[in-house]
Amino acid sequence: MSKAAELAALIGSQSALSNRNLIINGAMQVAQRGTSATVSDNSNEGYSTLDRWFLNFNAGPGGALDFSQSTDAPDGFANSIKLACSTADATHTGTENIHLVQYIEAQNLQQLAYGSSNSKSITVSWYMKAVNFSGPITLAFETVDGTAEYYAVSKTPTSSWARYSATIPGSSSATINNDNGVGLRVKFVLAGTSSGTYAASSDSTAWSTTRADYRDDIGNLVSSTSNEFYITGVQLEVGETATPFEHEPYGVTLQKAQRYYFKFLEGSSKEIGVGWYYNNTHVSFMFRYPTTMRATPTATDTTGTNYYIIYRNNTSDAFNSVSFENGSTEQFSAYNNTDISGTAGQAGIVRSNNASAKIEFDAEL
Amino acid sequence: MNEMTITDAQYTSQSNATIKCTIDGVEMQVPCDPANRHYDEIMRQVAAGDLTIADAD
């Protein structure tokens, strides 16, 4: 596409010139949790590597995928998601399927005007390629509020990077509440079966309340340990035109992702903040997040002998774990009252004290 | 079928503001916020009779 054509497409797309991508981390740059994990049903399933991307082994299929951030990417991109089959499973049945999904927050989708006669079309674009896997895959959508509606189309990757797109019409009947819950599921379905319970027999041309998890021509990414699938540059925008991918600074994507997940610390000698002795055996402190989170987050701390420590009054007091008390979308108060021995009223600085110490906050959808 | 395996659920001692539990093998502290996906799943499993939350110590 020429520069003039790109500009014409942007102007004609009825969408904003910036902040038009409703997908977060579509360039696969941010990976707060880590850059690789082996995922199978109930093992690392969910959010395990790249921020905002959930790998779902739905209804217990076999097989396993190495889910990693790759530097194999098309021109103009630094990263992609790589999914490599590490354990094969030739057959799936019933409702079993494997999909990569992003859940989009409902209040960010109000511009689509779903449920009204003015509902807007959306266009999804992405780059993908595959090794020893010919697909097809299914691009599938699902609304969540009210009566769910579905839309599914089949796409076939090749062995070279290429850009794909699909335009989905609006729905005058689907419901997307104006809240902080899930508004839309955008799924790349990578494994299923032609006889699957919710396998659609043809590409959707309109939203339907008939459940369509994927197309019945679906391939099976876990059919062989030689199979690999790569994807990046995922963009979801209002309008009927796939405009050029909207690149954004790493820090902007990181901040967007931290609304849903935030790793406060990992490793030793990482500062937490001020702590004070409520009494001789109870030290209190608090965590503040860098941005307002979507909901009060789940807190996770690794635990072990002397993983955390408070320095006060020319000495220190180590403790093994953190108990979280009162949380909000801005902060979480915390304490330890099982390992502490100090002097009521004294204060100090709390920090991590072991390479394996880690504290995370999760408000994902 | 439960998508999360949740065990050892117990309200924490200071108040009933959080629930300590193990989800898919990882110990977590879940706030009692209906918008939190872990709390939502805990309450769904409690309602289904698949999970009991112990009182605080």
Side-chain angles (χ1 to χ4, degrees):
Chain A
M1 183 182 286
S2 69
K3 293 299 177 189
E6 286 183 7
L7 181 59
L10 275 171
I11 293 170
S13 66
Q14 302 175 31
S15 62
L17 295 180
S18 62
N19 290 316
R20 63 186 187 282
N21 191 357
L22 295 167
I23 294 289
I24 295 173
N25 202 22
M28 316 306 180
Q29 290 181 284
V30 176
Q32 292 183 83
R33 295 172 180 83
T35 56
S36 66
T38 298
V39 183
S40 59
D41 184 46
N42 285 331
S43 177
N44 291 325
E45 189 178 1
Y47 298 100
S48 60
T49 60
L50 284 105
D51 280 67
R52 307 268 35 246
W53 290 103
F54 186 109
L55 185 56
N56 191 338
F57 281 61
N58 187 67
L65 291 168
D66 289 338
F67 179 9
S68 63
Q69 183 185 44
S70 173
T71 55
D72 188 338
D75 289 345
F77 291 86
N79 297 108
S80 66
I81 281 176
K82 176 183 179 182
L83 295 167
C85 177
S86 56
T87 302
D89 181 26
T91 305
H92 303 295
T93 59
T95 58
E96 292 179 1
N97 69 79
I98 299 172
H99 62 264
L100 184 69
V101 57
Q102 186 158 133
Y103 300 146
I104 300 180
E105 191 171 337
Q107 59 194 349
N108 292 341
L109 295 166
Q110 296 308 300
Q111 61 187 303
L112 304 186
Y114 275 29
S116 80
S117 58
N118 296 318
S119 62
K120 306 287 196 302
S121 297
I122 53 176
T123 295
V124 181
S125 53
W126 71 100
Y127 296 81
M128 67 177 173
K129 75 170 189 176
V131 175
N132 197 56
F133 170 62
S134 57
I137 69 162
T138 297
L139 173 65
F141 299 84
E142 180 181 345
T143 64
V144 175
D145 295 319
T147 301
E149 295 194 7
Y150 301 86
Y151 195 100
V153 293
S154 178
K155 296 288 181 178
T156 301
T158 68
S159 58
S160 301
W161 282 109
R163 194 180 195 207
Y164 300 76
S165 67
T167 296
I168 294 87
S171 171
S172 60
S173 51
T175 301
I176 300 179
N177 294 337
N178 185 21
D179 62 17
N180 63 346
V182 179
L184 185 65
R185 294 173 177 152
V186 181
K187 304 192 289 187
F188 294 91
V189 188
L190 306 166
T193 176
S194 60
S195 59
T197 307
Y198 301 114
S201 59
S202 61
D203 281 358
S204 301
T205 55
W207 288 88
S208 172
T209 56
T210 300
R211 183 168 170 176
D213 284 355
Y214 55 83
R215 276 290 321 281
D216 61 359
D217 63 354
I218 190 86
N220 178 16
L221 183 59
V222 295
S223 67
S224 163
T225 55
S226 298
N227 291 356
E228 297 175 357
F229 176 77
Y230 298 80
I231 185 169
T232 192
V234 182
Q235 181 156 283
L236 170 62
E237 58 195 311
V238 177
E240 298 181 348
T241 304
T243 66
F245 183 81
E246 182 185 6
H247 291 279
E248 60 187 11
Y250 178 91
V252 172
T253 306
L254 175 63
Q255 189 173 37
K256 288 180 180 178
Q258 286 177 331
R259 175 171 171 79
Y260 303 92
Y261 170 86
F262 169 51
K263 183 166 67 178
F264 191 98
L265 67 84
E266 184 171 21
S268 188
S269 300
K270 307 294 185 185
E271 307 295 350
I272 293 173
V274 172
W276 63 95
Y277 284 77
Y278 175 72
N279 59 39
N280 291 354
T281 59
H282 183 125
V283 65
S284 294
F285 44 98
M286 66 187 301
F287 298 87
R288 290 196 67 85
Y289 325 132
T291 191
T292 299
M293 299 194 79
R294 183 193 63 83
T296 307
T298 296
T300 306
D301 65 311
T302 56
T303 62
T305 303
N306 299 338
Y307 267 33
Y308 307 94
I309 195 166
I310 178 169
Y311 289 94
R312 46 83 185 169
N313 196 35
N314 204 35
T315 187
S316 63
D317 198 2
F319 53 99
N320 302 342
S321 63
V322 175
S323 292
F324 293 86
E325 193 171 13
N326 292 306
S328 71
T329 54
E330 286 80 33
Q331 58 80 34
F332 225 129
S333 60
Y335 65 94
N336 180 279
N337 65 354
T338 55
D339 312 313
I340 287 293
S341 178
T343 302
Q346 288 189 348
I349 185 76
V350 180
R351 64 175 58 140
S352 61
N353 191 45
N354 188 285
S356 296
K358 183 162 72 171
I359 292 175
E360 304 164 282
F361 296 97
D362 179 338
E364 292 281 8
L365 287 160
Chain B
M1 179 180 179
N2 295 327
E3 286 295 317
M4 297 182 194
T5 301
I6 304 176
T7 59
D8 303 324
Q10 182 181 26
Y11 287 106
T12 56
S13 58
Q14 293 297 304
S15 64
N16 282 350
T18 58
I19 298 166
K20 181 175 282 192
C21 58
T22 300
I23 301 178
D24 294 337
V26 178
E27 189 172 285
M28 299 182 180
Q29 297 180 58
V30 179
C32 296
D33 177 355
N36 180 292
R37 67 189 173 109
H38 297 119
Y39 181 72
D40 183 60
E41 178 63 14
I42 288 170
M43 290 297 104
R44 192 191 67 76
Q45 294 192 21
V46 168
D50 297 332
L51 180 69
T52 300
I53 307 172
D55 293 335
D57 290 331

